[in-house]
């Protein structure tokens, strides 16, 4: 079992920055993928960014590439999502996810079994 707890959401103005954290506990193997997804009410949950506990490869949705950065602190079992130049379109509940996922499916929400409770990010114009 893997437990994930997100934090760091909030209300900010367009152009501001936020850093989300996802603290993981339980069976966090090095080959597990860690990902961020987001969901706006009435919309599908969409992929934002992903990486693994080991290795340097990162994956981003086109909509956030160049603005968001995913990173990890293995000692703290924590994954971060640094979000810069936020836009109103970034408003959503952000979820952390984890599981054994190969590179082909790392952007697919159905590939992840473990999810956090979500943290709200609201960007005002």
């Amino acid at each position: 079992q893997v437990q994930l707890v997100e934090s760091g959401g909030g209300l900010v103005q367009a152009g501001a920055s936020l850093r989300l954290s996802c603290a993981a506990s339980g069976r966090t193997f090095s080959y597990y993928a860690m990902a961020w997804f987001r969901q706006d009410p009435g919309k599908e949950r969409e992929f934002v960014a992903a990486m693994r506990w080991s290795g340097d490869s990162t994956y981003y949705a086109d909509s956030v590439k160049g603005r968001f950065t995913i990173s990890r602190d293995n000692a703290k079992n924590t994954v971060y999502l640094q979000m810069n130049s936020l836009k109103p379109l970034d408003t959503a509940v952000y979820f952390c996810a984890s599981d054994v996922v190969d590179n082909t499916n790392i952007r697919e929400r159905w590939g992840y079994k473990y999810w956090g409770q979500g943290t709200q990010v609201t960007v005002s114009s």
Side-chain angles (χ1 to χ4, degrees):
Q1 288 287 346
V2 177
Q3 293 79 43
L4 304 171
V5 179
E6 303 99 333
S7 61
L11 170 63
V12 297
Q13 289 190 326
S17 298
L18 276 177
R19 188 178 79 159
L20 305 183
S21 300
C22 173
S25 59
R27 304 180 68 184
T28 54
F29 296 115
S30 62
Y31 52 84
Y32 270 41
M34 298 295 299
W36 288 95
F37 288 78
R38 66 187 183 186
Q39 187 169 20
D40 217 6
K43 295 184 179 178
E44 295 281 324
R45 190 169 297 188
E46 65 174 5
F47 171 77
V48 176
M51 70 185 308
R52 301 186 186 281
W53 284 117
S54 63
D56 296 326
S57 295
T58 54
Y59 307 82
Y60 295 97
D62 288 343
S63 59
V64 306
K65 203 172 293 183
R67 300 188 297 123
F68 291 12
T69 303
I70 189 171
S71 62
R72 67 178 188 266
D73 184 333
N74 290 45
K76 295 182 179 179
N77 272 5
T78 299
V79 172
Y80 303 99
L81 184 69
Q82 178 66 43
M83 306 185 295
N84 298 330
S85 302
L86 282 162
K87 305 175 181 179
L89 285 176
D90 296 317
T91 295
V93 177
Y94 283 70
F95 296 90
C96 179
S98 181
D99 209 336
V100 180
V101 184
D102 62 37
N103 291 345
T104 302
N105 298 317
I106 203 167
R107 291 179 172 85
E108 305 296 336
R109 57 186 173 90
W110 50 258
Y112 294 85
K113 183 192 310 179
Y114 305 107
W115 293 85
Q117 81 288 354
T119 185
Q120 176 71 47
V121 172
T122 303
V123 185
S124 64
S125 57

